[in-house]
């Protein structure tokens, strides 16, 4: 395992123009843990989807005026990203898995963010406190560090 253990935090304005900065921040920290290029791509895409969901759904009319906070923790081969916002709340656990055949047949755009996060990361959970904050926690383990 890399010696790049630690905690890192950053807050970004809720603006799709910041997605590249967010991806860069996360990828830099994950690379220090020793993930493969494929795993880095998975982490980067999962975080991008989570942040894009916040921008589109938590702050739909308030783009750019509110922040998205990222807290990253690296510990014993695990890479954990907690994404926090103070926008509108919804329960992602109520979203059923998509019918991918139908989705593709209908050439749908979007609507796969939660599915992608769950598919790309080893663990995904949500903590919702209506009127206070929403958190999504994404965890990826190094293959040798799985619990």
């Amino acid at each position: 395992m890399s010696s790049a253990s630690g905690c890192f935090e950053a807050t970004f304005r809720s603006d799709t123009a910041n997605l590249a900065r967010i991806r860069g921040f996360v990828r830099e920290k994950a690379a220090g843990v020793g993930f493969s290029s494929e795993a880095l791509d998975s982490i980067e895409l999962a975080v991008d989807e989570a942040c894009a969901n916040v921008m589109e759904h938590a702050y739909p009319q308030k783009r750019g005026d509110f922040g998205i906070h990222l807290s990253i923790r690296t510990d014993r081969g695990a890479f954990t990203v907690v994404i926090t916002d103070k926008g509108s709340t919804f329960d992602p656990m109520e979203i059923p898995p998509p019918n991918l055949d139908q989705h593709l047949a209908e050439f749908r755009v979007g609507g796969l963010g939660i599915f992608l996060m769950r598919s790309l990361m080893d663990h995904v959970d949500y903590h919702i406190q209506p009127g206070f904050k929403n958190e999504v926690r994404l965890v990826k383990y190094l293959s040798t560090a799985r619990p």
Side-chain angles (χ1 to χ4, degrees), residues 46-133:
V47 170
D48 185 275
E49 288 292 336
C51 290
N53 280 347
V54 170
M55 293 170 188
E56 183 174 343
H57 301 293
Y59 301 130
Q61 303 299 322
K62 304 169 186 169
R63 208 158 286 207
D65 295 336
F66 295 89
I68 299 173
H69 184 79
L70 274 67
S71 176
I72 295 174
R73 181 180 172 139
T74 60
D75 185 28
R76 297 183 184 187
F79 185 80
T80 304
V81 181
V82 178
I83 300 162
T84 306
D85 70 83
K86 295 183 178 181
S88 301
T89 298
F90 84 104
D91 186 355
M93 301 309 287
E94 294 179 357
I95 305 296
N99 178 329
L100 293 179
D101 291 334
Q102 183 178 9
H103 201 92
L104 291 172
E106 296 174 357
F107 300 104
R108 290 187 196 165
V109 175
L112 297 177
I114 292 172
F115 168 77
L116 288 171
M117 287 186 281
R118 291 176 178 160
S119 299
L120 297 169
M121 300 301 283
D122 295 315
H123 182 79
V124 177
D125 64 31
Y126 304 90
H127 301 278
I128 300 166
Q129 296 176 317
F132 183 62
K133 68 178 179 179

